[in-house]
Amino acid sequence: MKTKSIVASLLLGSVFNSSPVVHAATQAKQAAHQAPKVNGTAGVYFRTIKVDGLDIFYREAGDKSKPTILLLHGFPSSSHMFRDLIRDLAPNYHLIAPDYPGFGQSSAPEPTAYNYTFDNLAATMNHFIDALGLKQFSLYVQDYGGPVGFRIASARPGLIQSIIVQNANAYTEGLGDALKPLVAYIQNPGESTIGPIKGVLSIEGTKWQYTDGAEDVSEIDPDSYITDQYYLNRPGNQDIQLALFRNYGTNLLLYAEWQAYFKKHQPLALVISGKNDKLFIAAGAMAYKKDLPKAEIHLLNGGHFVLEEKHEEAAGLIRSFLLKNNIK
């Protein structure tokens, strides 16, 4: 089932006023609205593009002449999880953050109409990259963004200027005990294993992902997990999420391929993970050093959605990392 957002347009002048002065002012406002703002006043724009016959929603901010960062979100969120980081970085970079099919404001066809696998999400995001004409970018991945983004990077290494990892896994060392219900469901999907998985899709499960491991729970905006839950609760969305859960094991089978990509191509890498995450634990963040010895690793005092508390700290680390590597 597909949900569409209604985004109100700014009223840029009265159709009844034909004054040249008013007309010129209106044209200036329209130009400002159509192009991302720069010089510290970066606005965020909410756009939709047709990809693979689907409406793919994305957030965009910053000057297109500056280095691009493509931000790939995790479960159970959407590009909404990057809202603060985008505003932090937009004065210096061009930011693009899409919603996958079945997530956020993008089309959410039934599993009979769209094959919800990580291979297919990566294929759609590959086509999204080409539709926008992105030639090179820094790739930011969190949670599901890891298996989607690492598929893209390993297949098209020439696109990647750097990789920024936040609570996204490519090593068995990173698999925490909190993933055991998912592993059980992958190995034996059925009545005996689906109960705990459905708990993950509940408001309690979504809230836990945001609050567990947080340094200060009072800094976690409830609108974040309530927004995610709204999308999860849409009719038919549980079937979409269960299909992706069942397919998640394909990601573990690709760990060796992604590690080979890291080792061969040595992409510039920054890891800024929440160290208290029980899903993708800190050992998985440190494991990137095995194949990327020059990787810069910072374990922030937070959980799985560490940007809720630490987006400014993360933005500072990203700016410093990109500048020192001459991505500017």
Side-chain angles (χ1 to χ4, degrees):
M1 183 174 180
K2 182 167 71 177
T3 299
K4 298 281 290 183
S5 69
I6 301 175
V7 181
S9 297
L10 293 174
L11 297 177
L12 298 177
S14 170
V15 296
F16 300 107
N17 194 329
S18 59
S19 162
V21 174
V22 172
H23 181 65
T26 298
Q27 286 184 320
K29 289 180 181 179
Q30 287 174 332
H33 180 66
Q34 290 167 358
K37 302 182 183 72
V38 294
N39 299 327
T41 60
V44 180
Y45 296 92
F46 308 95
R47 311 190 191 280
T48 301
I49 190 171
K50 192 72 74 174
V51 179
D52 294 345
L54 305 174
D55 290 331
I56 299 299
F57 171 89
Y58 64 102
R59 297 165 195 257
E60 181 174 19
D63 185 346
K64 291 182 179 180
S65 69
K66 295 182 178 180
T68 296
I69 304 176
L70 178 67
L71 304 111
L72 298 182
H73 67 81
F75 168 86
S77 196
S78 65
S79 58
H80 180 261
M81 68 164 285
F82 296 120
R83 65 201 181 281
D84 294 321
L85 186 67
I86 287 172
R87 292 190 182 279
D88 293 338
L89 292 175
N92 307 102
Y93 301 97
H94 175 222
L95 290 303
I96 298 284
D99 293 350
Y100 312 135
F103 292 79
Q105 292 291 312
S106 288
S107 294
E110 296 178 357
T112 55
Y114 181 88
N115 188 20
Y116 286 95
T117 66
F118 286 90
D119 279 348
N120 211 27
L121 291 183
T124 298
M125 288 298 101
N126 248 321
H127 298 156
F128 170 81
I129 289 166
D130 292 338
L132 290 188
L134 302 181
K135 302 303 182 186
Q136 277 198 318
F137 50 81
S138 291
L139 177 66
Y140 187 116
V141 296
Q142 191 264 353
D143 189 80
Y144 276 11
V148 173
F150 294 152
R151 278 172 168 82
I152 294 169
S154 58
R156 305 176 70 182
L159 290 174
I160 308 302
Q161 290 182 297
S162 71
I163 293 177
I164 303 167
V165 177
Q166 183 230 313
N167 301 89
N169 199 48
Y171 295 87
T172 55
E173 293 94 323
L175 301 173
D177 287 344
L179 290 171
K180 286 182 177 178
L182 175 60
V183 173
Y185 183 69
I186 292 170
Q187 293 174 339
N188 182 30
E191 293 301 318
S192 63
T193 57
I194 200 169
I197 286 298
K198 286 188 174 180
V200 173
L201 298 173
S202 69
I203 183 61
E204 291 80 13
T206 302
K207 181 178 179 180
W208 178 86
Q209 290 195 62
Y210 276 86
T211 58
D212 187 78
E215 180 179 9
D216 183 353
V217 174
S218 70
E219 292 189 17
I220 307 298
D221 185 351
D223 287 347
S224 297
Y225 50 82
I226 291 171
T227 298
D228 286 358
Q229 196 62 40
Y230 166 79
Y231 293 122
L232 288 176
N233 288 346
R234 290 177 294 178
N237 197 265
Q238 186 173 103
D239 292 337
I240 291 171
Q241 303 306 330
L242 291 175
L244 286 169
F245 285 168
R246 290 191 296 271
N247 186 250
Y248 195 85
T250 63
N251 300 326
L252 278 62
L253 297 176
L254 290 175
Y255 280 5
E257 182 177 320
W258 301 340
Q259 291 160 18
Y261 156 72
F262 298 150
K263 190 170 185 177
K264 178 180 178 180
H265 293 278
Q266 291 295 303
L268 299 169
L270 170 68
V271 179
I272 47 171
S273 291
K275 66 180 181 180
N276 307 319
D277 188 0
K278 291 188 177 71
L279 294 165
F280 298 131
I281 59 177
M286 299 305 300
Y288 285 94
K289 279 281 192 181
K290 295 196 301 181
D291 298 302
L292 295 168
K294 295 182 180 179
E296 184 176 321
I297 299 178
H298 301 269
L299 295 178
L300 309 184
N301 190 16
H304 192 62
F305 284 100
V306 70
L307 292 182
E308 294 295 309
E309 295 180 277
K310 307 292 184 182
H311 60 89
E312 290 180 338
E313 182 178 351
L317 291 169
I318 292 168
R319 281 191 293 266
S320 175
F321 168 76
L322 295 178
L323 281 171
K324 74 175 65 173
N325 287 289
N326 294 313
I327 300 175
K328 57 186 178 178

